[in-house]
Amino acid sequence: MSDYKKFPNGFLWGGATAANQCEGAYNADGRGLANVDVVPIGEDRFPIIAGKKKMFDFEEGYFYPAKESIDFYHHYKEDIALFAEMGFKTFRMSIAWSRIFPKGDELETNEAGLAFYEDVFKECRKYGIEPLVTITHFDCPIYLIEHYGGWRNRKMIDFYERLCHVIFNRYKGLVKYWLTFNEINMILHAPFMGAGLYFETGENEEEVKYRAAHHELVASALATKIAHEVDPENKVGCMLAAGQYYPNTPNPVDYWQAMEEDRENYFFIDVQARGEYPNYAKKKFEKLGLNIEMTQEDLELLKEHTVDFVSFSYYSSRVASADPELTEKTAGNIFASLKNPYLKASEWGWQIDPLGLRITLNAIWDRYQKPMFIVENGLGAVDTPDENGYVEDDYRIDYLREHIKTMNAAINEDGVELLGYTTWGCIDLVSAGTGEMKKRYGFIYVDRDNQGKGTLKRTKKKSFDWYKKVIASNGSDID
Ligand code: BG6
């Protein structure tokens, strides 16, 4: 389809994780409880039922996978050494807010939590790995949810601001790349994980979500401001759960539907990258009668402190139709979309569309003209180790290879600016969507199952050596 050329010098190859999906040690060294800890495996994972607040603590009869996860907290040296062996240029990880501020609203920091991340960043630097740090990856201290209602409350901006001051100062010189909120658009689909939201009976949920979104957007602009003040070298990015919508047919009403659904997602990035609420969003709030309080100061912050780059996760494209009769949905990254008959799907039903990555890269580039960073992409699959514990994951290699090809075409043929690529779950970890361990993305197999049994032993998969070769050749050798 296209000429495969070199990747730019300094392209940041690496892998991505999130604190709650890999650290474990949920109560070690003063860490406070967070929303991500109390979501059990399986169907009861996101019971955001109005008036039902059961997820403020652990309950009998459930298994909570994030409690121990893959215990990166105690294995980080071993894991980072393996990433270094693969030649990672960057490692995406997140900070657990409740390790640093166990409750979230206190003035004192928890030194043990701060020291932990300092050690992790130093360990990365030891190997020349650039940390890429998500400040909030779906986590919110439980105390802030119970006492303030999560991000629905404006006070959250102050608590987040305090966290930013602390981490930007403490990790100055160690961390340069920051992401403010993981998949910020997820707040509309998974509000408990996205923003610590639960709803009271009879509440206008749409209004609460957009109000919380506004608070996160202002907090994100503030973070960008502080990051630049503390160290002009800092680069701050927004983060979108991306995947372009295709119209189901050439019928203009389907095209319109696809555009509307894209706008629902791009709305967040429009604010973070362009600095103001787009007119279509203002009109939507007006039409739905949503009361979102915005101060003049908020609007100025948004305007003056836009992000330096746009990062996103990409797993699949999506399909939209205006026809209410069409209901056959595919599974997906929390979003369910219509099935695309031209695409195959993963074992979890996520449709696989490498060209969709090129389409998405171009759509985002055309919209913002800011450097981009693909910070998640990968295949969740069942891996079956042989008698030596080795996994021949050619399916994963194929998936990644096809996506790297279209990423290459977007850079070399379309001229988009791309800073780097971090594959999701570079080491097996707990799934955010289902809580399963069985859904593996890694180059490194971790011996742990859905029930939390296993030795936690790390074993390189076939894809480990393949990715090592990809990085060593700066993406020239992907065979
Ligand atoms: C993204 C998240 O939604 O997709 C990650 O940022 C998540 O946290 C990833 O793990 C893959 O989703 P899942 O449900 O397969 O873990």
Side-chain angles (χ1 to χ4, degrees):
M1 179 183 80
S2 51
D3 296 334
Y4 194 85
K5 299 207 186 81
K6 282 195 165 158
F7 276 86
N9 287 337
F11 190 76
L12 292 166
W13 297 95
T17 60
N20 74 88
Q21 292 172 254
C22 69
E23 282 179 6
Y26 79 100
N27 59 358
D29 303 325
R31 183 185 179 280
L33 202 62
N35 56 344
V36 286
D37 303 324
V38 296
V39 281
I41 193 169
E43 284 174 9
D44 246 0
R45 196 156 173 76
F46 304 115
I48 305 299
I49 299 164
K52 188 178 174 195
K53 300 177 194 166
K54 88 172 195 56
M55 291 200 293
F56 286 176
D57 210 340
F58 302 117
E59 284 187 7
E60 284 299 316
Y62 292 96
F63 174 64
Y64 296 95
K67 273 180 156 181
E68 287 104 22
S69 193
I70 60 158
D71 198 23
F72 176 80
Y73 192 78
H74 296 107
H75 289 74
Y76 70 92
K77 289 199 176 168
E78 179 188 352
D79 295 344
I80 293 170
L82 286 166
F83 302 153
E85 195 184 327
M86 268 187 282
F88 276 22
K89 309 287 178 211
T90 187
F91 170 48
R92 178 179 175 223
M93 52 173 282
S94 78
I95 282 181
W97 189 341
S98 64
R99 276 199 202 286
I100 295 176
F101 289 104
K103 293 199 306 194
D105 69 347
E106 61 272 72
L107 298 174
E108 290 296 306
T109 54
N110 175 34
E111 175 51 33
L114 280 170
F116 168 68
Y117 291 113
E118 186 173 332
D119 287 348
V120 171
F121 300 145
K122 284 187 173 155
E123 198 65 19
C124 289
R125 291 249 162 242
K126 187 170 111 187
Y127 297 106
I129 297 174
E130 184 78 53
L132 164 60
V133 179
T134 317
I135 301 169
T136 302
H137 192 122
F138 295 154
D139 69 316
C140 182
I142 282 287
Y143 187 90
L144 293 183
I145 300 176
E146 273 190 292
H147 291 82
Y148 299 90
W151 279 95
R152 70 170 63 216
N153 192 325
R154 244 199 112 81
K155 289 205 179 103
M156 290 293 286
I157 302 175
D158 301 336
F159 305 141
Y160 185 89
E161 182 183 2
R162 196 176 300 155
L163 173 71
C164 286
H165 272 293
V166 167
I167 58 178
F168 294 154
N169 281 295
R170 175 76 175 235
Y171 305 129
K172 185 174 170 176
L174 284 174
V175 179
K176 187 168 102 180
Y177 289 96
W178 300 93
L179 305 179
T180 53
F181 289 91
N182 181 63
E183 296 187 332
I184 189 161
N185 50 327
M186 221 39 121
I187 194 174
L188 301 177
H189 306 271
F192 186 72
M193 294 285 258
L197 296 180
Y198 63 91
F199 303 104
E200 303 293 348
T201 314
E203 243 187 336
N204 182 343
E205 295 189 8
E206 195 84 342
E207 184 169 86
V208 174
K209 285 189 216 170
Y210 277 107
R211 193 176 298 155
H214 178 70
H215 297 153
E216 288 194 351
L217 289 168
V218 173
S220 173
L222 252 178
T224 311
K225 174 176 186 274
I226 302 163
H228 291 155
E229 283 166 1
V230 171
D231 187 350
E233 288 295 300
N234 276 332
K235 302 267 177 250
V236 184
C238 52
M239 202 298 202
L240 170 77
Q244 199 68 12
Y245 270 97
Y246 304 154
N248 194 44
T249 72
N251 188 334
V253 291
D254 283 347
Y255 184 89
W256 181 256
Q257 185 65 28
M259 199 172 100
E260 292 237 276
E261 301 211 24
D262 270 334
R263 278 179 165 176
E264 193 173 281
N265 293 317
Y266 283 130
F267 149 73
F268 295 87
I269 312 304
D270 285 352
V271 178
Q272 290 175 295
R274 291 169 167 166
E276 54 191 41
Y277 273 77
N279 285 347
Y280 67 80
K282 291 187 208 158
K283 290 285 176 199
K284 175 176 171 169
F285 295 165
E286 233 174 81
K287 194 168 144 197
L288 297 177
L290 306 186
N291 172 24
I292 317 293
E293 277 170 41
M294 299 181 198
T295 67
Q296 192 51 36
E297 199 192 345
D298 290 350
L299 301 180
E300 282 163 18
L301 271 171
L302 295 175
K303 185 83 201 157
E304 284 161 25
H305 303 286
T306 55
V307 289
D308 300 308
F309 64 95
V310 175
S311 83
F312 62 90
S313 60
Y314 175 83
Y315 294 92
S316 191
S317 52
R318 300 158 181 152
V319 177
S321 165
D323 181 353
E325 303 286 304
L326 283 182
T327 48
E328 203 197 346
K329 298 265 166 108
T330 171
N333 190 10
I334 310 278
F335 297 76
S337 133
L338 288 177
K339 237 186 190 140
N340 186 333
Y342 299 97
L343 303 177
K344 294 201 176 104
S346 77
E347 285 156 295
W348 270 262
W350 293 24
Q351 294 203 289
I352 301 172
D353 181 10
L355 183 54
L357 175 59
R358 182 173 177 183
I359 293 167
T360 301
L361 276 163
N362 276 277
I364 296 177
W365 176 252
D366 289 350
R367 204 168 174 115
Y368 305 114
Q369 280 99 51
K370 293 222 179 200
M372 294 176 286
F373 209 135
I374 301 170
V375 296
E376 286 186 33
N377 173 237
L379 178 72
V382 177
D383 287 335
T384 314
D386 66 14
E387 61 279 12
N388 303 314
Y390 186 66
V391 176
E392 291 222 24
D393 52 347
D394 292 287
Y395 38 90
R396 182 165 295 109
I397 295 174
D398 290 345
Y399 177 101
L400 295 173
R401 182 191 292 119
E402 293 312 307
H403 285 79
I404 291 174
K405 278 188 198 163
T406 64
M407 180 167 99
N408 186 278
I411 296 172
N412 288 313
E413 293 183 40
D414 310 328
V416 309
E417 196 180 332
L418 189 62
L419 298 171
Y421 176 68
T422 59
T423 65
W424 175 251
C426 47
I427 180 166
D428 292 347
L429 36 65
V430 172
S431 156
T434 66
E436 292 167 288
M437 252 326 282
K438 201 171 119 193
K439 191 180 189 190
R440 296 171 185 274
Y441 287 86
F443 303 114
I444 301 161
Y445 187 87
V446 178
D447 180 24
R448 184 173 164 88
D449 66 15
N450 276 358
Q451 285 72 43
K453 298 201 180 67
T455 60
L456 292 175
K457 182 171 182 276
R458 276 70 168 148
T459 308
K460 298 174 201 171
K461 303 181 194 174
K462 186 173 181 183
S463 55
F464 183 101
D465 287 318
W466 173 81
Y467 198 46
K468 183 176 174 177
K469 187 182 67 170
V470 171
I471 299 177
S473 64
N474 192 21
S476 296
D477 185 356
I478 57 170
D479 293 334

